[in-house]
Amino acid sequence: MGRLSALFDPETVAVVGATDRDGAVGRAIVENLRDEFVGEVVPINPKRDEILGLECYSAVSSAPPIDLAVVVVPPDIVIESIHDIAEAGTKNVVVITAGFSETGSEGAKRERRLREIATEYDLNVVGPNSLGIMSTPNDMNASFGPETALEGSISFMSQSGAFITAVLDWANEQEIGFQDVVSLGNKAVLDETDFIREWGADSETDVIIGYLEGIDNGDEFIRAARDVTDETPIVLVKSGRTDAGAQAASSHTGAIAGSERAYEAGLEQAGVIRANSVQELFDYARALSGLSEPDSDGVAVVTNAGGPGVLTTDAVGDVRLEMADFTDETIDALSEAMPDEANIYNPIDAIGDADADRFGEALDIALADPNVGSAVVVSAPTAVLEYDTLAETVIEKRAEHETPVVTCLMGGQRARAAEEVLREFGIPNYFDPARAVAGLDALARYRGIRDQTSEEPERFDVDRERAREILERAAGRDDNRLGVESMDLLEAYGIPTPDGEIVDDPERALEVAERIDGDVVMKIVSPDISHKSDIGGVKVGVADADVYDAYEDLVARARNYQPDATILGVQVQELVDLDVATETIVGMNRDPQFGPLLLFGLGGIFVEILEDTSVRVAPIGERDAREMIDEIRAAPLLRGARGREPADIEGVIETIQRLSQLVTDFPAILELDINPLVAGPDGVQAIDLRLTVDTETL
Amino acid sequence: MGRLSALFDPETVAVVGATDRDGAVGRAIVENLRDEFVGEVVPINPKRDEILGLECYSAVSSAPPIDLAVVVVPPDIVIESIHDIAEAGTKNVVVITAGFSETGSEGAKRERRLREIATEYDLNVVGPNSLGIMSTPNDMNASFGPETALEGSISFMSQSGAFITAVLDWANEQEIGFQDVVSLGNKAVLDETDFIREWGADSETDVIIGYLEGIDNGDEFIRAARDVTDETPIVLVKSGRTDAGAQAASSHTGAIAGSERAYEAGLEQAGVIRANSVQELFDYARALSGLSEPDSDGVAVVTNAGGPGVLTTDAVGDVRLEMADFTDETIDALSEAMPDEANIYNPIDAIGDADADRFGEALDIALADPNVGSAVVVSAPTAVLEYDTLAETVIEKRAEHETPVVTCLMGGQRARAAEEVLREFGIPNYFDPARAVAGLDALARYRGIRDQTSEEPERFDVDRERAREILERAAGRDDNRLGVESMDLLEAYGIPTPDGEIVDDPERALEVAERIDGDVVMKIVSPDISHKSDIGGVKVGVADADVYDAYEDLVARARNYQPDATILGVQVQELVDLDVATETIVGMNRDPQFGPLLLFGLGGIFVEILEDTSVRVAPIGERDAREMIDEIRAAPLLRGARGREPADIEGVIETIQRLSQLVTDFPAILELDINPLVAGPDGVQAIDLRLTVDTETL
């Protein structure tokens, strides 16, 4: 256990604001604690000597030493109460009281004060606006929820108290148990990252699950979660996925919502398995808490019914798992053991007259196959199949082969007793084959996460000082939008750019053009003109003879378009052969929660119309950069589809990594787009650049 | 009821092959019938006088008149038995016996014989290899399944008997009732289309659901389903969606699988709501059987809990529904009725101390809003909220406003009684907000299906005779692969092609080129050379002066590539300006179940890499053709993205319809691709053509 151990395993718990008034929250908490808690419960109320049969104290300072204080006093005296609690030496506080940042500026001020006290006294504070916390090993229900959790190995946090009460009532019916439960409330002090760290270090927690509407510090969360997922899987529902949902979440928590794409990338990079519904959350958690991960993605399906077998096979096709290819030995053994009418290829259909023994034989043979990493047992009720016996058979075979098995014993009442036995041995039973397969898939996904060694981003040798000078020079111009005139920023970070220069007279333009082999591209350079092409500010394939006139024409067009535009000059640039190269875009914008979000996609019309892009939270290493390319649908274009020569993909990967380093080194870069980054067979070149800089931060 | 009424509502049922031997199927059926059936049960067995207390007859011919015969005799005497049954005047037969087409050639022969007898005597035959049938109004369980269905308004067919037993056990626990249940078996005579028609005409059936592994006659199924869905929604699980699943289904049923894309298009065109899992099937069916369709897609969410409210909002964002925009009147009324801390914008959060009355007020106001077409009530358990009272409130408000409402009363045991009350009034309760929203979505989708008037494909004025001649001429060449030499086939059907001709000497090539304005395109024409570009068989932008040499060169290249190739000549064609036009592909291939499957997509690299195509089963009308264009991701390209002039979309739509007419008129056309069909601002032109013709059929 980590630094929060006393929060979940206190010897004495004080309820500050305890009462015996009917319907009061302060009473509900005392009752919940009194009924079960193995430690001592100390009500605090200056007006009482005794509450619900327990000796009552006027203040924490006059009570015996308190390990955990649960605060339910009115909002205006919360700060004072916590001050007393802290002075008395108590380090762990759960603030139930609402009326903080969720209610407006007065509450927000109060919440800042709470944070200050917590820092001053080094307090662990849950809440405010929390339902409370629970821990099952010591039977502690320090909440005002109507239900107490059963004991188990799932630790559960929620940004919504109602979500906890809704889930517990259902989980108790399903006999799903928990280790610790935390209602995070407003997360003034302790947040999701703290509990992930705590439970990651807790040997009694097999799975961490949560309902979150936002993550406060994305960067820290990613680092903590990556560490924890080496040992403990994390499954989260992050709501506010859709635009309407994000708006609802923001009105519920008052937090500024980060973009869904940033959450998607950030949670993926953090190694979090994301669930989109309550059902998925528990379908995954049940598998992850009871079973080990499969060694491989091959699944064996054993059934007594063709139809459900086909449905299960479809479900396997929908996820990252695959139907295992049986070895010849397996086929021979099945052919020996099964009746003639059986299907001995995967899915194994042991046919309608199969009893538990025949299921057992088929499962035994399948689990011995080296291509089988996990199995699903799917059954329809028949006169000859005893579900209880089948459950015992599955438990036995799973243990013998040390291979994860889930079941889908279809039916209602008929399956209940078997389901209970299976649950005791960690085997989740699902009514729907698709859900059973989703449970196995969560296990396989977790194996992938656990096996992925964390990757330190490569530090390239760059000219950071020069980059700083370029950004400062731009900042000095009192304009936070930068363009091609800052291409040397990319050069300073080793990102190739075409040969060229920005010149401010036509003679010089000609000199540069003559130095460059072949025709050139000429572009007007002005911070006031962002869509250069639209005003005719770009000339492609200008021969040396035409450079002088082209210069004059470009400047005239810019002046004509906007007489007072600042014109920094004309860029004369090597012409890149687009017949053999592909235009891509590499960019970054900053997310309020996760920071620099890198984007990769094909350039031009592809990006705009097909939105075929991939994103990652920076900094990233080579593996993530490579995945960014693989994830876009049009990736085969870069790899050389239709007889084209493949583009320099390694060059694109390196450019993404160098950009990652640049935007990590300079938080002042708010947005940046290299569009296009042209990727040809012989290398990549950044052709155009736009960025926005926070001149204050520099 | 239709022609199958006596199948489901017989007065006398004979069990042919009845027995009292323990564990025998022939005993299980007699028991199932004897226990409940309101009519008369007549066991048939030549060796017995009495079975399980019922008088037994030696044959149907010697028994009282029989309306329905259930046949469980061994496979080798099934045909003989049915002959007797038919001779005795019985028209309805359920063949339980297995050992037909599912077991090999002997069985397939037996099944053909069964089909012949059925035709000869005009019998309604279910099966063979069926679990049996049930009908609840007369308490008839003419199956050997261990469970009997409860009465309700869902009629249910399944190609897997095990799927029925699995579902019934669970449905009985959930108190989900059925009207008729049919295990389709091998579908030798009656198939899914027959039962859809029957139940579509049955006023007691509110929803038709089914589990299918294949559809026998796609064309007929689409027509029947379209008719039926005007009155009755159809929800189907069609398994074998994935490659692995299709393979498993084919090994289970022995049927040749059609392509998943054809099923997807065909079921959509048929107006079928497709479910991907057992859970979805019943989540949809429960909503469709109890509630009317919403008038609009706007959903109101009423909750006592922020978190679940956000989750529900996310779920709405995932489907075709949308969060309703409340009118000012609604906002005013809510602001009046709700406490200050409540959120009165959608989702309405009536906050944690809301009782059933406050829920009722919020629901009342929301349902009166003209922008609200349906509502979800989502609640977390609290001390002040009585779920039973909430259920009554919801029932009352739903009835008052005649607007569909589903509930998500979260929790376990606490929600059971309320759930039961809601169910009685047709309101489905779901544990998961996402599933509640999916239920409402099924209602909205069904409204869309029901409201869509069926569209008669337009018959264009075409030269069918000329098309026939062209195809026959090609057939006469003894080659079933046709190419550009058959472009006049398209012209006969009014599909525009560029000006040009196929010529067989260079002089003539020059004459044609001179007649055409500007440069020309020249292509070698040979049935033996399919990838013309790859061998340099295409020259683009040939000036008149170069035409003679180009002709000689093209022929030489073709000879060089394949000395014995049949060379039909060289096509000299008008050059189409691709700078302002977009290449598309319009094609067709024949699916074994659904027939001609039309395909539309962008041409070239888009089709190959992004697989960005849409499909429909022909014949189709204008609406479907338009949807085919809208469905592709790159559709905005045609509509004029990025400042391009929009392409002639009406021309593309007409071309798709004309192609639909062509491939419907000529079943001998097995495959056809117009690639590219160039769509520019001024019209469309078919540039290249390949087709395969079944020369036997012509």
Side-chain angles (χ1 to χ4, degrees):
Chain A
M1 291 287 272
R3 66 180 286 254
L4 303 181
S5 61
L7 186 67
F8 292 112
D9 192 18
E11 291 188 4
T12 52
V13 178
V15 181
V16 183
T19 173
D20 54 9
R21 189 163 43 83
D22 261 350
V25 169
R27 178 184 175 128
I29 297 171
V30 174
E31 283 178 338
N32 278 341
L33 281 166
R34 185 197 57 183
D35 291 351
E36 305 281 348
F37 181 46
V38 300
E40 198 181 341
V41 183
V42 182
I44 308 286
N45 185 332
K47 297 176 192 155
R48 299 297 186 83
D49 293 331
E50 182 253 297
I51 285 177
L52 301 166
L54 298 167
E55 187 177 352
C56 185
Y57 295 83
S58 63
V60 171
S61 51
S62 59
I66 298 297
D67 296 319
L68 167 63
V70 182
V71 177
V72 277
V73 298
D76 52 340
I77 59 165
V78 163
I79 300 301
E80 191 188 323
S81 287
I82 293 180
H83 196 269
D84 289 351
I85 291 164
E87 279 292 326
T90 301
K91 290 293 182 197
N92 300 289
V93 183
V94 174
V95 184
I96 304 291
T97 312
F100 287 76
S101 64
E102 82 280 11
T103 56
S105 65
E106 190 62 29
K109 207 166 123 191
R110 203 176 281 139
E111 194 159 312
R112 273 196 301 280
R113 191 68 200 99
L114 172 60
R115 207 174 281 122
E116 283 161 15
I117 292 195
T119 308
E120 190 184 338
Y121 288 95
D122 193 24
L123 304 181
N124 299 317
V125 178
V126 175
N129 191 18
S130 164
L131 180 81
I133 66 173
M134 298 179 200
S135 189
T136 56
N138 55 1
D139 296 324
M140 177 180 75
N141 180 356
S143 87
F144 64 96
E147 294 287 333
T148 295
L150 299 176
E151 187 162 352
S153 65
I154 300 173
S155 283
F156 171 28
M157 62 183 157
S158 172
Q159 203 168 340
S160 157
F163 190 90
I164 294 178
T165 58
V167 158
L168 284 187
D169 191 44
W170 168 84
N172 288 349
E173 187 194 46
Q174 304 283 314
E175 299 185 36
I176 296 171
F178 297 87
Q179 181 69 204
D180 299 331
V181 178
V182 172
S183 163
L184 294 168
N186 293 3
K187 307 192 287 191
V189 179
L190 294 174
D191 66 13
E192 51 282 345
T193 304
D194 297 295
F195 291 103
I196 280 177
R197 286 217 180 91
E198 175 66 18
W199 291 329
D202 173 19
S203 60
E204 300 302 312
T205 294
D206 288 337
V207 191
I208 298 168
I209 67 170
Y211 168 81
L212 296 178
E213 296 183 356
I215 286 173
D216 290 325
N217 182 332
D219 185 39
E220 207 190 315
F221 177 84
I222 290 177
R223 269 181 287 130
R226 267 188 188 154
D227 278 352
V228 164
T229 51
D230 281 348
E231 293 282 341
T232 312
I234 303 172
V235 189
L236 296 180
V237 171
K238 155 65 184 71
S239 70
R241 281 181 295 114
T242 60
D243 289 345
Q247 210 180 330
S250 152
S251 110
H252 177 221
T253 63
I256 301 159
S259 79
E260 167 57 19
R261 285 208 86 180
Y263 273 111
E264 199 183 322
L267 291 173
E268 169 89 26
Q269 286 175 255
V272 166
I273 296 173
R274 194 161 173 188
N276 282 335
S277 65
V278 190
Q279 180 173 291
E280 270 184 18
L281 182 67
F282 283 92
D283 281 354
Y284 297 166
R286 283 160 64 205
L288 287 162
S289 66
L291 298 170
S292 58
E293 297 84 60
D295 295 332
S296 74
D297 287 343
V299 179
V301 176
V302 182
T303 184
N304 64 345
V310 178
L311 275 176
T312 311
T313 306
D314 269 343
V316 170
D318 285 339
V319 297
R320 68 168 270 171
L321 299 168
E322 56 195 24
M323 293 297 283
D325 245 334
F326 289 153
T327 62
D328 292 345
E329 290 72 31
T330 302
I331 297 294
D332 289 347
L334 285 169
S335 152
E336 186 80 15
M338 295 292 115
D340 286 350
E341 303 79 14
N343 179 22
I344 54 172
Y345 299 90
N346 205 5
I348 304 172
D349 183 354
I351 66 171
D353 63 348
D355 57 8
D357 278 352
R358 197 191 292 162
F359 263 97
E361 279 180 280
L363 193 57
D364 206 25
I365 296 167
L367 292 180
D369 190 304
N371 297 333
V372 171
S374 62
V376 193
V377 172
V378 186
S379 63
T382 67
V384 294
L385 184 63
E386 293 284 343
Y387 270 10
D388 296 359
T389 321
L390 178 58
E392 280 160 28
T393 307
V394 171
I395 289 163
E396 185 188 310
K397 298 299 173 196
R398 200 266 300 205
E400 262 176 51
H401 293 273
E402 296 181 339
T403 300
V405 180
V406 299
T407 61
C408 174
L409 310 188
M410 295 180 86
Q413 216 44 57
R414 191 182 295 259
R416 293 293 161 260
E419 197 164 61
E420 204 159 315
V421 176
L422 288 164
R423 191 188 300 125
E424 269 174 50
F425 287 84
I427 299 174
N429 182 58
Y430 303 87
F431 166 66
D432 192 311
R435 290 173 57 191
V437 170
L440 273 190
D441 186 49
L443 289 173
R445 279 157 72 191
Y446 177 57
R447 188 201 63 230
I449 290 163
R450 198 201 51 202
D451 289 354
Q452 191 162 65
T453 51
S454 77
E455 186 187 38
E456 265 311 299
E458 191 171 340
R459 292 291 307 177
F460 294 92
D461 188 18
V462 298
D463 191 344
R464 189 166 175 169
E465 269 321 296
R466 191 172 148 221
R468 176 175 304 282
E469 281 161 27
I470 295 161
L471 291 170
E472 278 169 355
R473 187 180 67 205
R477 245 189 24 240
D478 198 27
D479 189 337
N480 64 352
R481 296 160 303 145
L482 278 57
V484 282
E485 75 285 356
S486 307
M487 291 286 273
D488 41 357
L489 179 68
L490 300 181
E491 283 159 25
Y493 267 69
I495 295 171
T497 58
D499 190 7
E501 259 176 58
I502 294 168
V503 297
D504 54 10
D505 71 77
E507 298 289 352
R508 180 68 194 135
L510 185 56
E511 280 172 41
V512 174
E514 282 171 349
R515 176 169 59 75
I516 294 171
D517 270 354
D519 295 349
V520 294
V521 179
M522 294 174 70
K523 295 178 199 169
I524 195 77
V525 181
S526 162
D528 299 318
I529 301 170
S530 54
H531 291 283
K532 293 185 283 280
S533 302
D534 295 356
I535 64 145
V538 179
K539 288 177 184 276
V540 177
V542 184
D544 290 358
D546 302 326
V547 165
Y548 197 102
D549 289 349
Y551 181 97
E552 301 283 10
D553 187 41
L554 286 171
V555 172
R557 286 185 189 193
R559 286 263 167 266
N560 186 39
Y561 168 69
Q562 191 177 327
D564 61 346
T566 302
I567 294 177
L568 300 177
V570 168
Q571 187 186 42
V572 181
Q573 206 179 43
E574 178 188 354
L575 180 64
V576 175
D577 183 3
L578 286 174
D579 281 351
V580 296
T582 304
E583 289 185 272
T584 70
I585 175 172
V586 179
M588 184 278 303
N589 66 60
R590 282 191 195 268
D591 181 79
Q593 266 80 39
F594 284 93
L597 192 65
L598 299 170
L599 174 141
F600 173 75
L602 288 204
I605 213 149
F606 283 92
V607 169
E608 280 188 36
I609 294 185
L610 302 178
E611 294 174 6
D612 184 18
T613 57
S614 56
V615 298
R616 286 290 184 287
V617 177
I620 60 166
E622 190 196 322
R623 185 180 59 217
D624 274 309
R626 193 176 297 279
E627 283 176 8
M628 285 181 81
I629 297 173
D630 290 344
E631 278 171 20
I632 69 166
R633 293 192 299 268
L637 267 183
L638 288 173
R639 291 201 208 93
R642 300 246 302 181
R644 287 161 67 114
E645 221 178 317
D648 174 20
I649 289 185
E650 300 308 313
V652 178
I653 291 169
E654 190 175 318
T655 302
I656 296 172
Q657 289 172 271
R658 286 177 180 271
L659 180 66
S660 164
Q661 185 170 339
L662 173 64
V663 300
T664 310
D665 286 350
F666 295 98
I669 302 176
L670 299 179
E671 281 186 291
L672 187 154
D673 271 337
I674 301 174
N675 185 12
L677 174 83
V678 167
D682 302 322
V684 301
Q685 281 189 314
I687 305 291
D688 206 348
L689 172 70
R690 286 169 64 190
L691 66 158
T692 310
V693 177
D694 176 3
T695 50
E696 305 291 310
T697 313
L698 262 172
Chain B
M1 291 289 272
R3 65 181 286 252
L4 303 181
S5 60
L7 186 66
F8 291 112
D9 192 20
E11 290 186 7
T12 51
V13 178
V15 180
V16 184
T19 172
D20 53 9
R21 187 163 44 81
D22 262 350
V25 170
R27 177 183 175 127
I29 298 170
V30 174
E31 283 178 336
N32 279 339
L33 281 166
R34 184 198 56 182
D35 290 350
E36 305 281 347
F37 181 47
V38 299
E40 198 181 342
V41 182
V42 183
I44 307 286
N45 184 332
K47 297 177 190 153
R48 299 296 186 83
D49 294 331
E50 181 253 297
I51 285 178
L52 300 167
L54 297 167
E55 187 177 353
C56 185
Y57 295 82
S58 64
V60 171
S61 51
S62 59
I66 299 295
D67 297 319
L68 168 64
V70 181
V71 177
V72 276
V73 299
D76 53 339
I77 60 165
V78 163
I79 300 300
E80 191 188 323
S81 287
I82 293 179
H83 196 268
D84 288 351
I85 291 164
E87 280 293 326
T90 301
K91 290 291 182 199
N92 299 289
V93 184
V94 175
V95 184
I96 304 290
T97 312
F100 286 77
S101 63
E102 81 281 10
T103 56
S105 63
E106 190 61 30
K109 208 167 123 193
R110 203 176 281 138
E111 193 159 312
R112 273 196 301 279
R113 193 66 202 101
L114 171 60
R115 206 174 283 122
E116 283 161 15
I117 291 197
T119 308
E120 191 183 337
Y121 289 94
D122 193 24
L123 303 181
N124 299 318
V125 178
V126 175
N129 192 19
S130 164
L131 179 82
I133 66 172
M134 299 179 200
S135 189
T136 56
N138 55 1
D139 296 325
M140 176 181 77
N141 179 356
S143 86
F144 64 96
E147 296 286 333
T148 295
L150 299 177
E151 187 162 354
S153 64
I154 300 172
S155 283
F156 172 28
M157 62 184 158
S158 172
Q159 203 168 341
S160 156
F163 190 89
I164 293 178
T165 58
V167 158
L168 284 187
D169 191 44
W170 167 83
N172 288 350
E173 187 194 44
Q174 305 283 314
E175 298 184 36
I176 296 172
F178 298 87
Q179 182 69 205
D180 298 331
V181 178
V182 172
S183 164
L184 294 168
N186 293 4
K187 308 191 287 191
V189 179
L190 295 175
D191 66 13
E192 51 282 345
T193 304
D194 298 294
F195 291 103
I196 280 177
R197 286 217 180 90
E198 175 66 17
W199 291 329
D202 173 20
S203 61
E204 300 302 312
T205 293
D206 288 337
V207 191
I208 298 168
I209 68 170
Y211 168 82
L212 295 178
E213 296 183 355
I215 286 172
D216 290 326
N217 185 333
D219 185 39
E220 206 189 316
F221 177 85
I222 291 177
R223 270 182 286 132
R226 268 187 187 155
D227 278 353
V228 164
T229 51
D230 281 348
E231 294 282 342
T232 312
I234 304 172
V235 189
L236 296 180
V237 171
K238 155 66 184 71
S239 71
R241 281 181 296 115
T242 61
D243 289 347
Q247 210 179 330
S250 151
S251 110
H252 177 220
T253 62
I256 301 159
S259 79
E260 167 57 20
R261 286 209 84 181
Y263 275 109
E264 200 183 321
L267 291 173
E268 169 88 26
Q269 286 174 256
V272 167
I273 295 173
R274 192 160 175 189
N276 282 334
S277 65
V278 190
Q279 181 173 290
E280 272 185 17
L281 182 65
F282 283 92
D283 281 353
Y284 297 167
R286 283 160 63 206
L288 287 162
S289 65
L291 298 171
S292 58
E293 297 83 61
D295 295 331
S296 74
D297 286 344
V299 179
V301 175
V302 182
T303 184
N304 63 345
V310 178
L311 275 176
T312 311
T313 306
D314 269 342
V316 170
D318 286 339
V319 297
R320 69 168 270 170
L321 298 168
E322 56 196 21
M323 293 296 284
D325 245 333
F326 289 154
T327 63
D328 292 345
E329 289 71 32
T330 301
I331 296 294
D332 288 347
L334 285 169
S335 154
E336 187 80 16
M338 295 292 115
D340 286 350
E341 303 79 15
N343 180 23
I344 55 173
Y345 298 90
N346 206 3
I348 303 172
D349 183 355
I351 67 172
D353 63 348
D355 57 8
D357 277 352
R358 197 190 293 160
F359 263 97
E361 279 179 280
L363 192 57
D364 207 25
I365 296 167
L367 292 180
D369 190 306
N371 298 333
V372 171
S374 63
V376 192
V377 172
V378 185
S379 64
T382 67
V384 294
L385 184 64
E386 292 284 343
Y387 271 11
D388 297 359
T389 320
L390 179 58
E392 280 159 29
T393 307
V394 171
I395 289 163
E396 187 188 308
K397 298 299 172 195
R398 201 267 301 207
E400 261 176 49
H401 293 272
E402 295 180 341
T403 300
V405 180
V406 300
T407 61
C408 174
L409 310 189
M410 295 179 86
Q413 214 44 56
R414 190 181 298 257
R416 294 293 161 260
E419 197 165 62
E420 205 159 313
V421 177
L422 288 164
R423 190 187 302 124
E424 269 174 49
F425 287 83
I427 299 175
N429 182 57
Y430 303 86
F431 167 66
D432 192 311
R435 291 172 58 191
V437 170
L440 273 191
D441 186 49
L443 289 173
R445 281 158 70 191
Y446 176 57
R447 188 202 63 231
I449 291 162
R450 197 203 52 201
D451 288 354
Q452 191 162 67
T453 52
S454 76
E455 187 188 37
E456 266 310 300
E458 191 171 340
R459 292 293 307 178
F460 293 92
D461 187 19
V462 298
D463 191 344
R464 189 166 175 168
E465 268 321 297
R466 189 170 149 222
R468 174 174 305 282
E469 282 161 27
I470 294 162
L471 291 169
E472 279 168 354
R473 186 181 67 203
R477 251 193 14 246
D478 198 26
D479 189 335
N480 64 351
R481 295 160 304 145
L482 278 58
V484 283
E485 75 284 357
S486 306
M487 291 287 272
D488 43 356
L489 179 67
L490 300 181
E491 283 159 25
Y493 267 67
I495 295 171
T497 58
D499 190 7
E501 259 176 56
I502 294 168
V503 298
D504 54 10
D505 72 78
E507 297 291 350
R508 179 71 193 132
L510 185 56
E511 279 171 40
V512 174
E514 281 171 351
R515 175 169 61 73
I516 294 172
D517 271 353
D519 295 349
V520 293
V521 178
M522 296 175 67
K523 297 178 198 167
I524 196 75
V525 180
S526 162
D528 300 318
I529 300 170
S530 53
H531 292 283
K532 294 185 283 279
S533 300
D534 295 357
I535 64 145
V538 179
K539 287 176 184 275
V540 177
V542 183
D544 291 357
D546 303 326
V547 165
Y548 197 103
D549 290 348
Y551 182 97
E552 301 284 11
D553 188 39
L554 285 170
V555 173
R557 286 186 191 194
R559 286 263 167 268
N560 187 37
Y561 168 70
Q562 192 177 325
D564 62 346
T566 304
I567 292 177
L568 301 177
V570 168
Q571 186 186 40
V572 181
Q573 206 179 42
E574 179 188 354
L575 180 64
V576 175
D577 182 3
L578 286 174
D579 280 350
V580 295
T582 304
E583 289 185 89
T584 70
I585 177 171
V586 179
M588 184 278 303
N589 66 61
R590 284 193 192 267
D591 181 80
Q593 265 81 38
F594 285 93
L597 191 66
L598 299 171
L599 175 140
F600 173 75
L602 287 204
I605 212 151
F606 283 92
V607 168
E608 282 189 34
I609 293 184
L610 302 178
E611 294 174 6
D612 185 17
T613 56
S614 56
V615 299
R616 286 291 185 283
V617 177
I620 60 167
E622 189 196 324
R623 185 180 58 216
D624 273 310
R626 193 177 297 279
E627 283 176 6
M628 285 182 80
I629 296 173
D630 291 344
E631 278 172 21
I632 69 167
R633 293 192 299 269
L637 267 183
L638 288 172
R639 292 202 207 93
R642 302 244 301 182
R644 289 160 66 113
E645 222 179 318
D648 174 20
I649 290 186
E650 300 308 313
V652 178
I653 291 170
E654 189 174 317
T655 302
I656 297 173
Q657 289 172 271
R658 286 177 180 272
L659 180 66
S660 165
Q661 184 171 338
L662 174 65
V663 299
T664 310
D665 286 350
F666 295 99
I669 301 177
L670 299 179
E671 280 186 291
L672 186 154
D673 272 337
I674 302 175
N675 185 12
L677 174 82
V678 168
D682 302 321
V684 301
Q685 282 188 314
I687 305 291
D688 206 348
L689 173 70
R690 286 169 66 190
L691 66 158
T692 310
V693 178
D694 176 4
T695 51
E696 306 290 311
T697 312
L698 263 173

